[in-house]
Amino acid sequence: MIKQTNKKLGLLRRQAKNLTFAQKCTMYLNIIRPAIEYGSVIYDCCTVGDSMRIEQLQRRAAIICLGAMKRTETNILIESLKWDSLSNRRNLAKLSLFYSIIRGQSPAYLSGVISNVKPGAYATRRNANSNLNVEVTKPRLLRFGKSFFPGTTDLWNKL
């Protein structure tokens, strides 16, 4: 995914002189960012180094779109373009998918994971008046704790 996105960023960089600011931003938002976010719910449990490499792609696109210097702070670039960080967008996508799973609006193989709980599971409540009870087995390994269901359950409970 990073290699394919780098190719698209190279195309944007080569064409930057011929495009307006709005065209560069549109090219990023419609061609490059969807390539970065495709399957982001699955690969969100990647290592910190890989996550930084993915965020670096958006930084490079922001530098190209703004025509900024390479040493400009990332926060300034992203705020001036009014883009969300990719980690925030991945968290929102995970929470949106989790909500559709809880509500039964997803395929049966996804909702079956939550309803068929192994012994030793614990229940969490989204809020006191809601019936959005979620049961997930406690992760034994750190790697499993970062996977979709345990990790997203933690995000869901922190809302």
Side-chain angles (χ1 to χ4, degrees):
M1 183 269 306
I2 291 173
K3 194 181 284 189
Q4 290 175 349
T5 305
N6 278 328
K7 288 179 183 179
K8 292 177 182 181
L9 279 173
L11 174 66
L12 177 62
R13 188 177 354 97
R14 287 188 300 274
Q15 295 300 320
K17 295 178 218 167
N18 304 329
L19 300 173
T20 65
F21 171 75
Q23 290 171 333
K24 288 184 250 184
C25 289
T26 302
M27 186 173 175
Y28 170 74
L29 293 174
N30 294 328
I31 296 172
I32 298 170
R33 191 162 72 182
I36 296 171
E37 291 182 343
Y38 181 74
S40 65
V41 173
I42 302 301
Y43 70 74
D44 188 41
C45 64
C46 62
T47 63
V48 174
D50 288 339
S51 180
M52 289 175 59
R53 288 176 62 199
I54 294 168
E55 290 289 338
Q56 189 69 16
L57 295 171
Q58 182 169 354
R59 174 185 162 67
R60 287 181 49 213
I63 289 171
I64 294 168
C65 288
L66 289 172
M69 295 175 61
K70 289 186 179 181
R71 295 194 181 254
T72 308
E73 282 189 44
T74 304
N75 296 338
I76 294 171
L77 294 171
I78 301 303
E79 285 176 11
S80 64
L81 290 168
K82 296 185 173 96
W83 292 347
D84 287 336
S85 71
L86 294 175
S87 61
N88 287 345
R89 292 183 59 82
R90 286 193 303 268
N91 286 338
L92 288 174
K94 284 173 31 175
L95 288 170
S96 175
L97 178 61
F98 196 73
Y99 179 78
S100 66
I101 291 170
I102 289 172
R103 289 294 187 186
Q105 301 167 347
S106 64
Y109 63 87
L110 288 175
S111 1
V113 173
I114 292 178
S115 62
N116 299 331
V117 183
K118 297 176 183 173
Y122 63 99
T124 58
R125 295 186 63 85
R126 174 64 186 96
N127 80 33
N129 298 327
S130 123
N131 61 358
L132 297 177
N133 296 332
V134 180
E135 295 182 9
V136 176
T137 58
K138 290 185 180 180
R140 187 174 56 90
L141 302 172
L142 180 64
R143 181 75 174 165
F144 178 65
K146 292 182 178 180
S147 65
F148 178 75
F149 284 106
T152 308
T153 302
D154 289 341
L155 280 174
W156 184 258
N157 293 334
K158 291 177 184 175
L159 284 177

